[in-house]
Amino acid sequence: MPVSRDKASDGALPFVPARGGIPALRRAAADCRGCALYADATQTVFGAGRARARVMLVGEQPGDQEDKAGEPFVGPAGHLLRKVLGEVGIDEEEVYFTNAVKHFKFAPVTEGRKRRIHKAPNLSELTACRPWLDAEVRRVNPELLVALGATAGKSLLGRSFKVTEARGTLLPLAAGGDLPLDVEGADSDAHRHCLATVHPSAVLRAKDRREAYAGLVSDLRVAAQFLG
């Protein structure tokens, strides 16, 4: 169904159902036209995991493999992330995986390329998709949110967020102030903190992968300690 200019300016908000749990959100998100990214992506990649998880991991956006599979964190970065979770003692059954943006943004495929090349979402796209993340937080009601990378950090903590300055530290969700997280109706004590770290894809790209991996492990150990 075409979206009017007025509704399109509201981003995903007109598509988010007021009632229902995660399954209802996932069904509605499949038809989201809140920004232009849906046109080139294979499908919406909504969050997945336990509906009442203790921790929510928020990445940037789905990648090439996630776009094809329709599930978050199923590619190489996702496999690495799950390895780290096991190493620090965070049970995957207590985790909800999602992204700040639900459609894959990529550079056009040109002759000779085997894969579509990831492009970071811009602020307009991040803002347009924000209602889905707000809705997921309300439904899942996690004790801790973990921002994986700069884009997720900006979505949760504000435009001034810098992962290099904030990683590994428990932060109030309102610290950034530019994009405050709306958790109306949720237990405020369960939503006061967010832990930021690098995205696992950054570990895969690092020159010193061993050092980068150790840094991610160290950051997520803080999350594991917070969860007790």
mmCIF file of all heavy atoms in Angstrom, residues 3-11 13-14 34:
data_model
loop_
_atom_site.group_PDB
_atom_site.id
_atom_site.type_symbol
_atom_site.label_atom_id
_atom_site.label_comp_id
_atom_site.label_asym_id
_atom_site.label_seq_id
_atom_site.Cartn_x
_atom_site.Cartn_y
_atom_site.Cartn_z
ATOM 1 N N VAL A 3 2.333 4.851 0.787
ATOM 2 C CA VAL A 3 2.325 5.654 1.999
ATOM 3 C C VAL A 3 2.233 7.115 1.617
ATOM 4 O O VAL A 3 2.943 7.591 0.739
ATOM 5 C CB VAL A 3 3.623 5.417 2.817
ATOM 6 C CG1 VAL A 3 3.605 6.242 4.080
ATOM 7 C CG2 VAL A 3 3.769 3.942 3.145
ATOM 8 N N SER A 4 1.341 7.835 2.264
ATOM 9 C CA SER A 4 1.194 9.252 1.958
ATOM 10 C C SER A 4 2.437 10.006 2.370
ATOM 11 O O SER A 4 3.221 9.550 3.198
ATOM 12 C CB SER A 4 -0.016 9.828 2.718
ATOM 13 O OG SER A 4 0.251 9.874 4.102
ATOM 14 N N ARG A 5 2.605 11.190 1.803
ATOM 15 C CA ARG A 5 3.784 11.995 2.126
ATOM 16 C C ARG A 5 3.829 12.322 3.609
ATOM 17 O O ARG A 5 4.870 12.300 4.249
ATOM 18 C CB ARG A 5 3.780 13.283 1.300
ATOM 19 C CG ARG A 5 4.992 14.169 1.542
ATOM 20 C CD ARG A 5 5.031 15.321 0.562
ATOM 21 N NE ARG A 5 5.128 14.840 -0.805
ATOM 22 C CZ ARG A 5 5.136 15.651 -1.866
ATOM 23 N NH1 ARG A 5 5.033 16.961 -1.707
ATOM 24 N NH2 ARG A 5 5.232 15.155 -3.071
ATOM 25 N N ASP A 6 2.650 12.603 4.204
ATOM 26 C CA ASP A 6 2.605 12.933 5.622
ATOM 27 C C ASP A 6 3.016 11.749 6.480
ATOM 28 O O ASP A 6 3.782 11.868 7.421
ATOM 29 C CB ASP A 6 1.198 13.384 6.023
ATOM 30 C CG ASP A 6 0.856 14.754 5.450
ATOM 31 O OD1 ASP A 6 1.796 15.476 5.078
ATOM 32 O OD2 ASP A 6 -0.347 15.074 5.373
ATOM 33 N N LYS A 7 2.495 10.548 6.133
ATOM 34 C CA LYS A 7 2.850 9.360 6.899
ATOM 35 C C LYS A 7 4.308 8.992 6.704
ATOM 36 O O LYS A 7 4.990 8.565 7.641
ATOM 37 C CB LYS A 7 1.956 8.195 6.493
ATOM 38 C CG LYS A 7 0.545 8.288 7.051
ATOM 39 C CD LYS A 7 -0.203 7.001 6.810
ATOM 40 C CE LYS A 7 -1.580 7.052 7.477
ATOM 41 N NZ LYS A 7 -2.316 5.782 7.281
ATOM 42 N N ALA A 8 4.811 9.155 5.501
ATOM 43 C CA ALA A 8 6.211 8.828 5.242
ATOM 44 C C ALA A 8 7.136 9.681 6.096
ATOM 45 O O ALA A 8 8.185 9.239 6.525
ATOM 46 C CB ALA A 8 6.525 9.013 3.760
ATOM 47 N N SER A 9 6.722 10.942 6.361
ATOM 48 C CA SER A 9 7.547 11.838 7.161
ATOM 49 C C SER A 9 7.622 11.365 8.613
ATOM 50 O O SER A 9 8.503 11.780 9.356
ATOM 51 C CB SER A 9 7.001 13.269 7.103
ATOM 52 O OG SER A 9 5.738 13.347 7.740
ATOM 53 N N ASP A 10 6.676 10.515 9.027
ATOM 54 C CA ASP A 10 6.683 9.969 10.383
ATOM 55 C C ASP A 10 7.545 8.725 10.495
ATOM 56 O O ASP A 10 7.602 8.106 11.559
ATOM 57 C CB ASP A 10 5.250 9.630 10.809
ATOM 58 C CG ASP A 10 4.391 10.865 11.014
ATOM 59 O OD1 ASP A 10 4.964 11.920 11.341
ATOM 60 O OD2 ASP A 10 3.167 10.770 10.831
ATOM 61 N N GLY A 11 8.197 8.333 9.426
ATOM 62 C CA GLY A 11 9.009 7.131 9.455
ATOM 63 C C GLY A 11 8.163 5.896 9.685
ATOM 64 O O GLY A 11 7.060 5.756 9.149
ATOM 65 N N LEU A 13 6.596 4.974 12.344
ATOM 66 C CA LEU A 13 5.561 5.095 13.365
ATOM 67 C C LEU A 13 4.168 4.662 12.907
ATOM 68 O O LEU A 13 3.472 3.943 13.638
ATOM 69 C CB LEU A 13 5.523 6.520 13.911
ATOM 70 C CG LEU A 13 4.641 6.745 15.141
ATOM 71 C CD1 LEU A 13 5.108 5.866 16.302
ATOM 72 C CD2 LEU A 13 4.657 8.220 15.546
ATOM 73 N N PRO A 14 3.707 5.052 11.709
ATOM 74 C CA PRO A 14 2.358 4.628 11.297
ATOM 75 C C PRO A 14 2.208 3.118 11.114
ATOM 76 O O PRO A 14 1.078 2.614 11.070
ATOM 77 C CB PRO A 14 2.164 5.353 9.953
ATOM 78 C CG PRO A 14 3.138 6.477 9.973
ATOM 79 C CD PRO A 14 4.314 5.969 10.732
ATOM 80 N N GLY A 34 8.570 2.929 5.975
ATOM 81 C CA GLY A 34 8.868 4.168 6.684
ATOM 82 C C GLY A 34 10.058 4.937 6.146
ATOM 83 O O GLY A 34 10.233 6.110 6.449
#
